[in-house]
């Protein structure tokens, strides 16, 4: 009764197209769910996601769940995830991806899941890291631990004179930081992010992880920008 009344007053709308959702629909309407552009990159080891890293860094495997286009249901979905206080979108997409990945051996050799870290002040501002739900969904399905200690994002304190113009107008410069210990030697890390665009952030993180002796790095993202 109360639920019905709340739904009547504040009807939930689809994160892809803003249509009013039915009780049985989670965050996407049936039409949006039916037209999600899956990449199926997990089915090929020489896919577009891998292509972003060729010649730059030695990645073991990489793939993304959906194609991201600027205007459309997938971009609306990620806008809601990042700015609409809807962290559950990451978890639901993660569960979907976990199911799809069970068709392959993609996660069999992974030792640690590493969500791309967010600077703690930014996390506090948003209230969540938009990759955490994705990581949790994979951790639950495959019983692989999430590691948030090894790779972190910290603020740098470079002197004012050596700062670029961009750093001076935006003084909070952050860098990724690795805290390796012998227990990580020879491990296979799976880096997780929301959208793969240029791949620069993931490349930086992967380079740090590959400094660990005999380590391997693979990458999974929820969306891929062509
Ligand atoms: Zn919709």
């Amino acid at each position: 009764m109360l639920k019905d009344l709340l739904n009547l007053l504040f009807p939930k709308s689809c994160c892809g197209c803003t249509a009013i959702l039915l009780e049985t629909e989670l965050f996407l309407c049936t039409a949006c769910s039916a037209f999600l552009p899956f990449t199926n990159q997990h089915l090929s080891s020489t896919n577009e996601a891998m292509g972003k890293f060729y010649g730059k860094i030695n990645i073991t495997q990489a793939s993304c769940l959906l194609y991201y286009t600027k205007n459309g249901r997938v971009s609306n979905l990620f806008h809601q995830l990042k700015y609409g206080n809807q962290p559950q979108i990451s978890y639901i997409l993660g569960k979907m991806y976990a199911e799809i990945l069970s068709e392959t051996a993609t996660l069999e050799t992974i030792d640690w899941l590493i969500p791309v870290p967010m600077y703690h002040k930014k996390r506090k501002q948003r209230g969540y890291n938009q990759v955490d739900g994705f990581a949790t969904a994979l951790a639950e399905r495959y019983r692989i631990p999430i590691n948030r200690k090894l790779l972190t994002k910290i603020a740098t304190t470079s002197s004012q004179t050596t700062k670029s113009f961009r750093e001076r107008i935006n003084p909070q410069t952050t860098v990724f930081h690795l805290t390796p210990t012998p227990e990580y030697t020879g491990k296979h890390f799976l880096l997780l992010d929301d959208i793969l665009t240029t791949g620069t952030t993931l490349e930086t993180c992967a380079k740090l992880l590959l400094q660990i002796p005999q380590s391997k790095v693979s990458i999974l993202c929820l969306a891929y920008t062509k």
Side-chain angles (χ1 to χ4, degrees), residues 14-19 21 27-33 73:
C14 170
C15 293
C17 72
T18 71
L21 289 181
F27 67 108
L28 280 179
C29 70
T30 307
C32 282
S33 298
R73 37 175 73 94

Side-chain angles (χ1 to χ4, degrees), residues 1-10 23:
M1 172 84 177
L2 180 66
K3 205 171 158 194
D4 290 342
L5 190 66
L6 281 173
N7 271 341
L8 197 67
L9 291 172
F10 310 103
E23 179 105 24

Side-chain angles (χ1 to χ4, degrees), residues 112-115 117 144-151 183-184 189:
W112 290 103
L113 301 174
I114 308 213
I144 303 170
I146 301 171
N147 191 310
R148 292 192 181 88
K149 286 190 298 188
L150 177 60
L151 191 69
E183 62 172 311
Y184 296 116
F189 303 101

Side-chain angles (χ1 to χ4, degrees), residues 111-193:
D111 297 294
W112 290 103
L113 301 174
I114 308 213
V116 166
M118 209 172 169
Y119 182 48
H120 69 91
K121 279 191 182 161
K122 197 172 172 190
R123 188 192 173 114
K124 212 170 171 186
Q125 217 172 31
R126 188 171 295 169
Y128 55 93
N129 178 342
Q130 71 271 13
V131 191
D132 278 352
F134 177 25
T136 305
L138 292 180
E140 283 176 4
R141 180 74 161 72
Y142 293 95
R143 306 265 159 227
I144 303 170
I146 301 171
N147 191 310
R148 292 192 181 88
K149 286 190 298 188
L150 177 60
L151 191 69
T152 48
K153 203 171 189 187
I154 55 165
T156 56
T157 48
S158 54
S159 78
Q160 196 66 32
T161 48
T162 59
K163 278 181 182 171
S164 67
F165 173 70
R166 214 173 117 198
E167 284 169 328
R168 265 177 271 141
I169 54 164
N170 181 21
Q172 209 164 66
T173 309
T174 54
V175 290
F176 291 102
H177 179 75
L178 191 76
T179 318
T181 53
E183 62 172 311
Y184 296 116
T185 300
K187 300 294 181 194
H188 189 175
F189 303 101
L190 182 62
L191 269 170
L192 306 172
D193 207 357

